[in-house]
């Protein structure tokens, strides 16, 4: 669904696409639009879809304050420690945030993004992504030794810088691919 949304001409303000899609899981996600330089957080489940910007961001609690022009969630909806730590780091670097600062001083300080971490730079049309490193050596001894478990989390791994214009100029896939 998200790939279809990204590959279309729809604007994030067109909530009908997400609201009417078949939704099978409970997620907190963000959708950004580089054309209008805005992002929304989305609470998403089989029975509800709610959209949030920096003015109505939820949960609105002392440990998850609203910050002008910033939409953020750390870990999950009700994770006060992570939400508070994320808010503190975003406030500390407010006005000078770059993807590099977020990678070095926000996601790593919060320790968010154990499986996958992504930072979208809507101004420059870049996507920064890091992914978890599985312990493949156990399955195949010919693989090089893996770092300790605490260094395999995505936020601790190398980040890839991708150019979103190149990524999303390709049409959406029309058939599923079997990776086995």
């Amino acid at each position: 669904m998200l790939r279809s949304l990204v590959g279309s001409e729809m604007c994030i303000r067109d909530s009908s696409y997400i609201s009417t899609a078949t939704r099978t899981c409970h997620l907190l996600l963000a959708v950004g639009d580089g054309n209008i330089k805005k992002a929304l957080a989305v609470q998403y489940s089989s029975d509800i879809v709610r959209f949030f910007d920096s003015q109505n961001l939820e949960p609105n609690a002392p440990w998850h304050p609203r910050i002008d022009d910033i939409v953020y969630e750390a870990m999950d909806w009700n994770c006060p420690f992570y939400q508070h730590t994320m808010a503190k780091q975003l406030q500390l670097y407010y006005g000078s945030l770059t993807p590099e600062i977020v990678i070095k001083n926000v996601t790593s300080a919060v320790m968010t993004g154990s499986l996958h971490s992504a930072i979208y730079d809507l101004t420059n049309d870049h996507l920064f992504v890091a992914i978890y490193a599985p312990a493949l050596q156990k399955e195949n001894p010919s693989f090089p030794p893996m770092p300790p478990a605490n260094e395999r989390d995505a936020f601790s791994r190398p980040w890839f810088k991708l150019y979103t214009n190149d990524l999303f100029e390709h049409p959406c896939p029309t058939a599923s691919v079997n990776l086995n």
Side-chain angles (χ1 to χ4, degrees):
M1 182 205 60
L2 286 178
R3 176 62 176 96
S4 295
L5 179 63
V6 168
S8 73
E9 295 297 319
M10 286 180 275
C11 174
I12 61 172
R13 292 182 184 155
D14 181 12
S15 61
S16 63
Y17 184 80
I18 294 174
S19 298
T20 59
T22 301
R23 300 177 309 275
T24 59
C25 56
H26 300 267
L27 296 173
L28 281 176
L29 53 99
V31 180
D33 187 327
N35 293 325
I36 62 172
K37 309 298 185 206
K38 293 283 183 187
L40 296 175
V42 183
Q43 179 189 12
Y44 174 101
S45 70
S46 61
D47 59 345
I48 191 169
V49 174
R50 293 177 23 184
F51 297 87
F52 304 103
D53 59 24
S54 64
Q55 301 304 307
N56 70 345
L57 191 61
E58 293 288 333
N60 188 17
W63 44 266
H64 189 260
R66 293 177 179 160
I67 305 170
D68 286 341
D69 297 321
I70 294 182
V71 176
Y72 72 99
E73 297 292 347
M75 301 295 270
D76 203 343
W77 191 268
N78 192 20
C79 294
F81 172 79
Y82 293 102
Q83 298 280 18
H84 179 68
T85 306
M86 173 80 77
K88 283 178 28 180
Q89 292 304 103
L90 291 171
Q91 290 168 329
L92 179 65
Y93 293 100
Y94 187 82
S96 62
L97 286 168
T98 64
E100 293 79 11
I101 286 174
V102 172
I103 289 167
K104 184 177 179 184
N105 299 315
V106 178
T107 58
S108 60
V110 178
M111 296 188 301
T112 186
S114 55
L115 182 62
H116 166 266
S117 194
I119 298 164
Y120 293 83
D121 178 353
L122 299 178
T123 302
N124 297 305
D125 297 318
H126 296 146
L127 165 61
F128 296 80
V129 178
I131 55 174
Y132 175 79
L136 297 175
Q137 189 182 29
K138 292 178 185 175
E139 298 166 18
N140 186 340
S142 66
F143 281 19
M146 290 301 299
N150 65 333
E151 295 176 16
R152 292 196 306 256
D153 289 327
F155 62 82
S156 297
R157 305 274 302 143
W159 289 73
F160 300 92
K161 178 180 179 180
L162 305 170
Y163 298 89
T164 56
N165 287 338
D166 293 342
L167 290 173
F168 298 124
E169 72 180 12
H170 302 285
C172 294
T174 57
S176 61
V177 176
N178 184 355
L179 299 176
N180 293 325

